[in-house]
């Protein structure tokens, strides 16, 4: 079993009708996710709208969710500022997080040497497992394979990668050359099955908000050697993957609409994401109806 489990949701951050952080809503959502097939949670990541949370809000969110559930909670403590990331990582450690998520510095566009030094400095501020988050579409920089391997080999608590780089072939090189204790999680729902084929251990997902049972089913099928079964589940999830983000409705807007539709109130996104267009709810209803029909057929 992977260190944090196989199916982990990058949880949305609930806000109330006035746009204030809803800690009771965060606790309810975290428990709902735990009860509906998730092995762990990432909080205050991309999907959690970390860039629009104050430090106090982020730390309050860490504390509330860690207290609310019994599954591992990975705290999104990384920013594009190394000293700030060190501070947030120390605070997350004090609050009892199971690990921290450290994203490659965004906007700054540092060289590989800067990315490497940033992650080493943050990892040195904690004894918790560090999950490196590589998402070049949002950061503007790909973490090079050589940088990832250096971190995996030389920094004892750099123990995992959330891979949203979109290149399973290169991820295969990372997995082949990294220590056996270094775990790779898919950070792109649509590439989870391809990444399983090269050695990924799980997913830190978005559609897992509402499809964790199907993801668990896909992982079980894959582990048992039922490749056709895993492929069939993946095909059933394609509609969810298409729904969860897009240029006309980027992540996390669709996930919040879906959770509200399912009766788990999470409010709307803060600007600059802002409220959803009307079509997003109609798509959510269709995606959920199709997934529910599949579940009923299998029951």
């Amino acid at each position: 079993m992977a260190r944090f489990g196989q199916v982990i949701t990058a949880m949305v951050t609930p806000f109330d009708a006035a746009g204030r952080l809803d800690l009771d809503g965060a606790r309810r959502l975290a428990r709902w996710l735990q009860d509906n097939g998730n092995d762990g949670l990432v909080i205050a990541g991309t999907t959690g709208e970390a860039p629009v949370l104050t430090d106090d809000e982020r730390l309050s969110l860490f504390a509330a969710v860690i207290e609310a559930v019994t599954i591992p909670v990975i705290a999104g403590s990384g920013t594009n500022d190394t000293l700030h990331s060190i501070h947030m990582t120390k605070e997350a450690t004090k609050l009892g997080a199971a690990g921290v998520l450290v994203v490659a510095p965004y906007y700054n566009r540092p060289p590989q040497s800067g990315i490497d030094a940033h992650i080493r400095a943050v990892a040195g501020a904690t004894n918790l497992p560090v999950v490196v988050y590589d998402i070049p579409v949002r950061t503007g920089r790909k973490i090079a394979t050589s940088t990832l391997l250096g971190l995996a080999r030389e920094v004892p608590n750099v123990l995992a990668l959330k891979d949203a780089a979109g290149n399973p072939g290169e991820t295969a090189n990372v997995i082949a050359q990294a220590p056996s204790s270094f775990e790779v999680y898919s950070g792109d729902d649509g590439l989870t099955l391809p990444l399983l084929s090269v050695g990924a251990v799980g997913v830190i997902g978005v559609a897992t908000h509402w499809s964790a049972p199907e993801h668990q089913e896909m992982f079980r099928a894959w582990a048992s050697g039922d490749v056709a079964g895993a492929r069939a589940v993946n095909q059933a999830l394609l509609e969810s993957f298409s729904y969860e983000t897009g240029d006309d409705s980027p992540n996390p807007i669709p996930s919040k609409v879906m959770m509200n539709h399912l009766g788990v109130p999470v409010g709307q996104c803060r600007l600059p994401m802002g409220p959803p267009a009307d079509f997003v709810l109609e798509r959510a209803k269709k995606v959920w109806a199709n997934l529910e029909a599949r579940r009923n057929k299998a029951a």
Side-chain angles (χ1 to χ4, degrees), residues 159-206:
L159 293 173
L161 168 67
K162 179 183 178 184
D163 186 331
N167 188 344
E170 194 57 33
T171 305
N173 285 321
V174 173
I175 293 170
Q177 298 177 61
S180 58
S181 58
F182 187 74
E183 298 177 331
V184 172
Y185 285 84
S186 168
D188 183 335
D189 287 354
L191 289 179
T192 298
L193 187 55
L195 287 170
L196 283 178
S197 74
V198 299
V201 300
V203 61
I204 299 175
V206 175

Side-chain angles (χ1 to χ4, degrees), residues 205-287:
V206 175
T208 48
H209 276 87
W210 60 89
S211 62
E214 285 72 28
H215 279 80
Q216 295 284 9
E217 180 186 353
M218 182 170 70
F219 282 115
R220 286 193 299 271
W222 180 263
S224 69
D226 181 8
V227 175
R231 187 185 303 126
V233 180
N234 186 70
Q235 289 172 352
L237 289 170
L238 292 177
E239 187 178 29
S240 287
F241 301 158
S242 176
Y243 166 75
E244 72 184 42
T245 194
D247 288 344
D248 53 358
S249 182
N251 174 46
I253 294 171
S255 294
K256 285 199 156 182
V257 170
M258 180 64 83
M259 296 316 298
N260 289 327
H261 174 57
L262 296 182
V264 185
V266 295
Q268 296 183 352
C269 294
R270 285 178 174 172
L271 289 172
M273 285 297 180
D278 292 342
F279 73 86
V280 184
L281 177 56
E282 295 309 309
R283 288 189 64 191
K285 291 176 180 178
K286 180 181 176 184
V287 170

Side-chain angles (χ1 to χ4, degrees), residues 41-231:
L41 301 172
V42 166
I43 52 176
T46 303
T47 306
E49 298 180 73
V52 299
L53 298 176
T54 67
D55 284 0
D56 286 347
E57 286 177 328
R58 199 186 296 205
L59 295 176
S60 296
L61 183 66
F62 291 170
V65 175
I66 289 167
E67 179 274 333
V69 297
T70 59
I71 56 179
V73 175
I74 302 167
S77 63
T79 71
N80 66 330
D81 175 342
T82 304
L83 291 178
H84 187 202
S85 301
I86 288 170
H87 167 69
M88 296 302 288
T89 297
K90 288 180 176 179
E91 294 302 309
T93 304
K94 292 176 188 176
L95 291 170
V100 292
L101 183 76
V102 180
V103 67
Y106 43 87
Y107 188 76
N108 312 62
R109 291 179 60 82
Q112 291 298 316
S113 59
I115 296 172
D116 180 81
H118 171 85
I119 295 171
R120 287 175 188 263
V122 178
T126 184
N127 59 359
L128 294 177
V130 172
V131 182
V132 176
Y133 184 15
D134 187 19
I135 182 164
V137 69
R138 288 188 184 262
T139 65
R141 279 282 189 255
K142 170 77 180 77
I143 306 179
T145 294
S146 58
T147 302
L148 288 169
L149 290 173
L151 292 166
R153 292 166 177 166
E154 298 167 14
V155 185
N157 61 329
V158 173
L159 293 173
L161 168 67
K162 179 183 178 184
D163 186 331
N167 188 344
E170 194 57 33
T171 305
N173 285 321
V174 173
I175 293 170
Q177 298 177 61
S180 58
S181 58
F182 187 74
E183 298 177 331
V184 172
Y185 285 84
S186 168
D188 183 335
D189 287 354
L191 289 179
T192 298
L193 187 55
L195 287 170
L196 283 178
S197 74
V198 299
V201 300
V203 61
I204 299 175
V206 175
T208 48
H209 276 87
W210 60 89
S211 62
E214 285 72 28
H215 279 80
Q216 295 284 9
E217 180 186 353
M218 182 170 70
F219 282 115
R220 286 193 299 271
W222 180 263
S224 69
D226 181 8
V227 175
R231 187 185 303 126

